[in-house]
Amino acid sequence: MYQVYPRSFCDTTGNGVGDLDGLRTHLDHLVWLGVDAVWLSPICRSPMADFGYDVSAYDEVDPLFGTLDDLDALVAEAHAAGLRVLLDWVPNHTSIEHPWFAERPDFYVWVDGDPGTPPNRWIEAFGDGPAWAWDEGRGRWYLHLFLAEQPDLDWTNPAVVEAMHGTLRFWLDRGVDGFRMDVVHCIGKGHDLPELLPEQEAKPVVAIDVPHTHTLLQGIRRVLDEYGAGSVGEVYLLDTAKVATYYGTPEAPELHLSFNFPGLWAPWNAAVWRARIDEVEQHLTGPGRWPTWVLSNHDVPRHRTRYGSEARARAGAVLLATLRGTPFLFAGEELGLEDAVVPPERAVDPGGRDGCRAPLPWTPASGHGWAGGAEAWLPWPPDAAARSAGSQRADEGSILWFYKRLLAARRGSPALRSGAFTWLPSDPEVLAYERTSGSDRRVVLVNQGPAAAQVGLEGAWQVELATDGTSGPEALEVDAAVVLRPS
Ligand code: NOJ
């Protein structure tokens, strides 16, 4: 799965902001790379207080990105190219500019009280202020887990359930294949708003985990099943055992896939990664509980930046694509992009996440293949010319080609796609595992330090893919990763 942040992908209109046509004209990049599906961060109409995660009309494309016709054309071309299209669905909150906020106050979470005292200690996600805003006109508090411009919907109201199911049907009727569902673990919170434990730092977004959400997800799943559509939920609980419950059961299925972010937050350290992988192998197994892996997205510094070197970024990519589960790529990681350095006067995001959202360079020329005209909405990432897709396509040693070979190795191997996972005994600094499916067997060695990998493998093995391009046994000694297959 390949995540596109539409504002940053490619601008075709000259306003400095990426758009749907920018993605449509680069679908060939995705096909060449070898991904199966694309998820678009929000494209619905929005005042952009949170860059689209504040929706003011669930059935319109924001004019910044194009029109409904542009979306239809994009979906049709993606389908013709063999790619599925998932949209981002934002069910926990709307924009304060959504007409519902004025016309249907019963759609939101309100608490009576006195203007000086918020109803509880809950803190909004992006700052340290209360997750409550006082509405002067109504003389009541409303809940906002994120910005005050993003009031939380009240899913205990059946009219909200029906209206939000309608927003899914609107896009499914147009032929989209499914949804990434924003902070979907929070939708069931209702009116029971308990104080949080001190260790939860009063941030409800990482703590809300209530039974009603599961009932709601079963209802959402029934809508998706009518269309044969899929879902991946953003369950922002940093606890794999809890995340696993959001897949539901075979009798009462919920999400098709869920993000599981402990790996996203793991440092580049073999012991930590071993523990994260063990948790997944323990909790995300059995019918309907297929894991996901994410190293980068639009909310955190890119893993190239976090891990500090391209060798590690490549080794991380080997983990991403060879562990048991569905890998999620964030547009630009295949170019090895680092976060942009954003000077304070150009910072725009209330959550401080501008760096990873820097525009994608398509060509080495100035403007990097964007339409030109207005300056891009954020600064370019470092080395944009050399990192551009065009420059790297011309160099088979580039990280871009490496990702292509990695995805091809995965596609060509039932073991890597869906095989069982087993650790191999190894030096503690090495992650060594095998994946098997029938007679297909692959071994993966990820060496996280300068120490040589000493893994006792019986039989003859061939290097299928090495992050530094080496093809002999010396590949086992680099600060990188290799995939082996029986020769
Ligand atoms: C999670 C999204 O990934 C993030 O970008 C957004 O700000 C919040 N949810 C609020 O919608």
Side-chain angles (χ1 to χ4, degrees), residues 50 53 90 93 126 146 150 180 182-183 234 298-299 353 357:
D50 188 12
Y53 286 97
V90 187
H93 44 264
F126 297 142
F146 292 88
Q150 293 166 291
R180 177 267 189 189
D182 191 64
V183 288
E234 188 196 30
H298 64 295
D299 286 333
R353 301 161 293 184
R357 300 176 178 181

Side-chain angles (χ1 to χ4, degrees), residues 264-265 295-297 299-306 339 355-356:
L264 178 65
W265 290 108
L295 294 176
S296 292
N297 68 24
D299 286 333
V300 294
R302 289 179 176 276
H303 75 278
R304 166 69 185 83
T305 296
R306 298 199 313 273
D339 281 21
C356 64

